[in-house]
Amino acid sequence: QVQLVESGGGLVQPGGSLRLSCVASRSIYSIYAMGWYRQAPGKQRELVAIFTSGSTTTYADSVKGRFTISRDNAKNTVYLQMNSLKPEDTAVYYCKAVLLMRGDYWGQGTQVTVSS
């Protein structure tokens, strides 16, 4: 079992940057996979970036070269650094953790709006 709390969303101009944080209630060493998804109004939730066991990372093609996922194990926190933001990045961003034999856990989400 794990609780996840996201923060760092907000309103930014196109080309700007934000850093999202996801704080987990347990050591992220024990979490098989942890990452970020997003969902825009009327659209399906999609993978943005994720760590899996062994520090393998996966990014959506739409964010490669612009977004970077990272972690601070001492703080039980995963980050998403978002640079060169575009209006199409506007969405609610959700943190997700996968615990083997337990399933998926989601945070409440944080809104990111990219607009002039």
Side-chain angles (χ1 to χ4, degrees):
Q1 185 177 358
V2 61
Q3 289 75 49
L4 307 171
V5 180
E6 304 102 327
S7 63
L11 173 65
V12 297
Q13 295 182 346
S17 298
L18 284 174
R19 189 180 72 163
L20 306 183
S21 300
C22 174
V23 181
S25 63
R26 65 186 292 168
S27 172
I28 59 177
Y29 284 116
S30 65
I31 299 175
Y32 174 75
M34 195 167 176
W36 294 92
Y37 289 69
R38 67 186 181 187
Q39 187 168 22
K43 300 187 69 176
Q44 189 169 316
R45 191 172 298 187
E46 64 177 350
L47 172 68
V48 177
I50 193 165
F51 278 116
T52 57
S53 181
S55 298
T56 300
T57 57
T58 300
Y59 293 91
D61 288 342
S62 60
V63 307
K64 285 181 179 177
R66 299 189 298 119
F67 291 10
T68 303
I69 189 170
S70 62
R71 64 191 178 198
D72 185 334
N73 293 330
K75 296 181 179 180
N76 294 342
T77 301
V78 171
Y79 303 96
L80 184 68
Q81 179 66 48
M82 305 185 294
N83 298 325
S84 302
L85 284 162
K86 304 174 181 180
E88 50 263 46
D89 296 318
T90 296
V92 177
Y93 284 70
Y94 296 92
C95 185
K96 176 186 176 181
V98 178
L99 275 63
L100 292 178
M101 306 300 292
R102 290 179 177 267
D104 299 348
Y105 296 84
W106 296 89
Q108 293 297 310
T110 184
Q111 176 72 48
V112 172
T113 302
V114 185
S115 180
S116 298

